[in-house]
Amino acid sequence: MHIDQIIKEKVAEAIQALYAQQVETDSVQVQNTRKDVEGDMTIVVFPFLRFSKQSPEQTATQLGEYLKENVDLVEDFSVIKGFLNLTISKQYWLSVLGAAFLDPEFGFQKASEESPLVMVEYSSPNTNKPLHLGHIRNNLLGFSIGEIIKANGNRLVKTNIVNDRGIHICKSMYAWKQWGEGKTPESTGIKGDHLVGDFYVLFDKRYKAEVEELVGQGMSKEEAEQQAPSIIAAREMLRKWEAKDPEVIKLWEMMNQWVYDGFDVTYKELGVDFDKIYYESDTYLVGKEEVLRGLEEGVFYRRDDESVWADLTPEGLDEKILLRSDGTSVYMTQDIGTAKLRFNDYKIDKMVYVVGNEQNYHFQVLSVLLDKLGFDWGKGLYHFSYGMVELPHGKMKSREGTVVDADDLMAEMIEVARKTSEELGKLEGYTEEELAETYKTIALGALKYFMLKVDPKKNMLFNPEESIDFNGNTGPFIQYTYARIRSVIRKANDNGIELNEELSEEITLSDKEKELIKSLSLFPSVVKEAGDAYSPAVIANYIYALVKEFNQFYHDHSILGEQDDAVRNFRLVLSKAIANTVQTGMSLLGIKVPERM
């Protein structure tokens, strides 16, 4: 139990003992004591004056005396106006340090078979183009939220829905059939998702030229957009696909497989994975069945043009189309089907959708529709809505001129990491293989940390050069501090100095040392806060503050040069506990920390 909770419970006991009154533990206000005041924890006593019927100073003194007398970890107290400042015993702080040093999962709760099962959906790509910058933020947030949910004692299923059907897929397929000349990823050496994306871009180029030509022949722009030969052919291909035309299905399967192979490479490079992947081509039919059931039961209605709609105006929303007049489904239909399949496949207690904030309304509607269809879990769906990410203009070239490709971005990040490391001369004496691995670790650490340290709800600007700075609130700064600690531990081992978890109570803790242990003690509550708020930023900013504090300690205190064995051992144990916490904290963000740097 964290010190805050212990103090709250003991104060509630003191109120009962001194004034025969009961107070809720959570109503007791406990905070860290200000740096310019002696003490560790401060209690606000004003709310208790109605029980004590005395002045703030007298009430604080009575509470302080009771706590000092009856609570072992309270060593002393002081009173300033209506504030009671408690000095916590050195033994308590050393016990916290011991726990952080010995437990590789300090701050984490373990899941059991009875723990809630949480499903997190993220990524959700289309099979007509490669993953881009927006997908990177989505994947990193989704993966990290999953790890944080797991660290809070839940069971986890990571899932992905691939949008593998529809007119956009048929555009790539038609372009390949018309102008592809039999090209494959193998024959061109182009990654599969990029090759298919190139044909999607080619379709768009040809289509625009056709529209321009038809407009030149006297058609209106709207008419030309409908009558262009390539769009008519793509629509015909979609109709054939829905009719299960063997030739179209074969082409669809081949090109989709190219894309999946390409996605797998990107996901692996990014360090994210999934327990189960769903495909819209499977789920849309289930959604269609549900919509038709809703129509039969009078939940939905049919318009004169045969389209099917839901009237959500009583819920303060609009009317929503669910099936077009030709019977084809929309995104919402597919999401209804996917949700049903998931709850059939897994006994989910909570479903979290990691999807950008432009889809806020969509998920409001989905929740209401599932509720109307009689699914008792409909209202419990959680849309983790995050802001958009952009690059400073002109920083990186993109494959399509408008969208920044994920593979290009990661390759560029690795190049920036290489240049920065070479300029700083930090990686001398490494083999080529070690250099390549370290550049990748630094690059991805920089990318992930920069993306995740920002409040997820906010739009953000991602600056590659700024993210790889070895100073300031960056991934490489944290990685470098971790590597520095590991270097100190290695030197200790090389000199025959063994770390002993039995810490001497005779040593005197400096203010900085005590502050570091206090910061360490906060980690379990930080993990909980990040879980409650679904916010990796809470973890990221805690780790940065911890590392910054350690660097000040490292600057002011000798570790290996300390002559007193007990003090030296304490500082080594403290350093290793900090490194452990940095490593576990960064793992919640999906970031590796290098042993050397």
Side-chain angles (χ1 to χ4, degrees):
M1 194 186 297
H2 189 254
I3 183 74
D4 286 20
Q5 201 56 33
I6 297 170
I7 297 295
K8 285 179 179 186
E9 288 184 6
K10 295 303 179 185
V11 169
E13 273 177 34
I15 300 294
Q16 177 72 46
L18 293 169
Y19 313 122
Q21 296 286 338
Q22 280 194 327
V23 294
E24 290 290 325
T25 307
D26 287 342
S27 70
V28 179
Q29 295 174 48
V30 179
Q31 54 206 34
N32 284 334
T33 303
R34 280 179 13 211
K35 297 265 169 102
D36 57 341
V37 174
E38 194 165 328
D40 300 307
M41 313 302 297
T42 296
I43 298 155
V44 183
V45 301
F46 296 108
F48 311 134
L49 303 186
R50 59 199 170 104
F51 306 137
S52 69
K53 311 285 191 243
Q54 295 177 65
S55 72
E57 287 80 0
Q58 287 170 309
T59 307
T61 302
Q62 287 174 347
L63 279 171
E65 284 170 349
Y66 178 91
L67 293 170
K68 186 178 177 183
E69 188 69 31
N70 294 281
V71 182
D72 288 343
L73 59 80
V74 176
E75 196 171 76
D76 209 348
F77 72 93
S78 67
V79 175
I80 299 177
K81 296 183 179 170
F83 297 94
L84 169 60
N85 306 305
L86 303 177
T87 299
I88 305 302
S89 72
K90 185 179 12 178
Q91 288 80 357
Y92 172 79
W93 295 121
L94 292 177
S95 73
V96 168
L97 175 56
F101 174 71
L102 290 172
D103 182 1
E105 294 195 327
F106 172 70
F108 290 10
Q109 294 177 48
K110 286 188 169 54
S112 69
E113 285 179 16
E114 285 74 47
S115 297
L117 178 62
V118 183
M119 180 178 274
V120 180
E121 176 200 290
Y122 59 97
S123 202
S124 313
N126 295 340
T127 56
N128 63 319
K129 55 190 172 190
L131 301 174
H132 56 65
L133 179 63
H135 286 117
I136 287 185
R137 190 177 197 192
N138 180 294
N139 278 284
L140 297 182
L141 282 169
F143 182 84
S144 180
I145 287 164
E147 292 302 299
I148 290 166
I149 284 169
K150 210 162 48 172
N152 277 287
N154 301 287
R155 291 176 299 139
L156 173 71
V157 180
K158 294 175 284 189
T159 183
N160 185 357
I161 173 76
V162 178
N163 183 7
D164 65 341
R165 61 173 282 278
I167 191 68
H168 54 293
I169 313 293
C170 290
K171 286 176 180 179
S172 295
M173 288 160 57
Y174 174 73
W176 183 85
K177 200 174 173 190
Q178 281 295 104
W179 310 296
E181 300 167 352
K183 287 176 183 170
T184 67
E186 291 73 26
S187 71
T188 59
I190 298 171
K191 197 162 161 278
D193 50 337
H194 290 158
L195 184 63
V196 172
D198 290 344
F199 282 109
Y200 184 69
V201 174
L202 179 61
F203 176 93
D204 195 50
K205 195 174 160 189
R206 295 292 175 109
Y207 170 58
K208 279 177 180 162
E210 288 170 3
V211 169
E212 211 174 297
E213 193 179 325
L214 291 172
V215 169
Q217 292 168 10
M219 268 191 199
S220 71
K221 189 164 188 287
E222 292 72 24
E223 200 183 351
E225 284 171 349
Q226 296 302 315
Q227 296 301 320
S230 56
I231 197 70
I232 290 170
R235 285 199 205 106
E236 178 57 25
M237 196 172 257
L238 179 58
R239 276 192 287 276
K240 284 183 174 178
W241 182 89
E242 293 207 354
K244 301 272 188 286
D245 178 281
E247 192 185 329
V248 172
I249 294 290
K250 192 179 174 189
L251 174 60
W252 172 75
E253 286 173 344
M254 177 181 76
M255 290 182 73
N256 270 357
Q257 193 56 53
W258 293 349
V259 175
Y260 300 145
D261 293 344
F263 283 172
D264 285 348
V265 171
T266 309
Y267 287 139
K268 192 176 177 191
E269 186 79 353
L270 201 53
V272 302
D273 58 1
F274 308 94
D275 300 305
K276 172 90 175 177
I277 297 181
Y278 290 88
Y279 298 91
E280 193 190 337
S281 53
D282 298 325
T283 68
Y284 86 105
L285 291 171
V286 179
K288 214 167 172 179
E289 284 167 17
E290 286 303 311
V291 170
L292 293 172
R293 174 174 72 80
L295 184 65
E296 259 178 57
E297 294 171 4
V299 177
F300 307 136
Y301 72 95
R302 199 185 282 280
R303 288 191 180 173
D304 292 344
D305 67 353
E306 295 299 303
S307 58
V308 177
W309 292 72
D311 181 7
L312 306 180
T313 50
E315 285 79 13
L317 302 167
D318 297 326
E319 295 194 348
K320 176 65 188 170
I321 188 169
L322 299 173
L323 288 175
R324 297 187 189 94
S325 54
D326 62 0
T328 56
S329 60
V330 295
Y331 272 118
M332 189 62 73
T333 325
Q334 167 241 306
D335 276 348
I336 291 168
T338 308
K340 184 185 177 186
L341 280 177
R342 283 169 175 163
F343 279 86
N344 286 349
D345 291 345
Y346 298 92
K347 295 275 184 284
I348 307 168
D349 296 291
K350 180 111 184 148
M351 176 74 216
V352 179
Y353 291 90
V354 179
V355 183
N357 55 18
E358 77 278 11
Q359 295 291 331
N360 286 356
Y361 181 76
H362 177 89
F363 283 98
Q364 264 183 291
V365 171
L366 177 63
S367 184
V368 173
L369 289 174
L370 290 168
D371 192 52
K372 280 180 175 288
L373 284 165
F375 296 114
D376 54 8
W377 35 262
K379 286 278 173 71
L381 304 180
Y382 179 74
H383 173 208
F384 175 85
S385 168
Y386 63 91
M388 296 297 99
V389 57
E390 293 174 358
L391 283 166
H393 182 67
K395 281 284 177 192
M396 290 189 186
K397 290 176 183 168
S398 65
R399 189 173 302 279
E400 298 176 21
T402 52
V403 177
V404 177
D405 180 87
D407 295 315
D408 289 351
L409 180 62
M410 285 190 281
E412 180 75 16
M413 290 292 293
I414 291 168
E415 182 56 23
V416 174
R418 183 188 65 76
K419 281 183 184 162
T420 308
S421 300
E422 281 178 0
E423 282 166 17
L424 294 171
K426 288 188 180 293
L427 300 176
E428 286 165 9
Y430 276 40
T431 64
E432 284 303 315
E433 201 176 315
E434 286 171 332
L435 282 172
E437 189 57 36
T438 307
Y439 295 147
K440 185 177 164 184
T441 301
I442 293 169
L444 289 178
L447 173 66
K448 293 178 181 186
Y449 186 83
F450 203 95
M451 289 270 187
L452 296 174
K453 73 175 180 179
V454 179
D455 178 350
K457 292 180 177 63
K458 293 180 177 170
N459 289 346
M460 68 169 292
L461 196 67
F462 174 66
N463 186 322
E465 281 80 6
E466 196 183 310
S467 74
I468 293 190
D469 196 334
F470 281 77
N471 298 299
N473 192 0
T474 66
F477 172 68
I478 293 167
Q479 289 173 321
Y480 186 62
T481 304
Y482 174 84
R484 169 184 269 174
I485 297 172
R486 296 301 303 160
S487 171
V488 170
I489 305 295
R490 276 196 303 276
K491 280 179 190 162
N493 292 338
D494 292 346
N495 289 316
I497 302 167
E498 286 187 26
L499 277 67
N500 182 358
E501 67 266 20
E502 296 297 323
L503 299 167
S504 167
E505 292 182 7
E506 302 302 313
I507 62 171
T508 304
L509 298 183
S510 71
D511 289 344
K512 276 206 169 72
E513 287 166 336
K514 196 198 261 190
E515 283 303 317
L516 262 179
I517 301 174
K518 276 194 206 175
S519 295
L520 266 182
S521 77
L522 293 173
F523 186 57
S525 57
V526 167
V527 173
K528 185 180 183 307
E529 184 192 339
D532 291 343
Y534 296 100
S535 179
V538 171
I539 301 284
N541 290 301
Y542 164 81
I543 298 168
Y544 172 60
L546 181 67
V547 159
K548 205 163 66 161
E549 215 168 347
F550 175 82
N551 280 310
Q552 289 167 355
F553 156 78
Y554 184 82
H555 181 267
D556 295 347
H557 297 71
S558 175
I559 300 177
L560 293 177
E562 172 58 50
Q563 296 306 301
D564 184 313
D565 289 354
V567 173
R568 184 181 61 212
N569 181 64
F570 161 78
R571 288 178 184 165
L572 282 166
V573 167
L574 176 61
S575 300
K576 186 154 192 276
I578 300 283
N580 291 349
T581 304
V582 168
Q583 187 173 36
T584 51
M586 291 291 261
S587 76
L588 294 179
L589 306 178
I591 298 174
K592 291 179 182 174
V593 281
E595 291 294 303
R596 295 193 305 147
M597 199 166 145

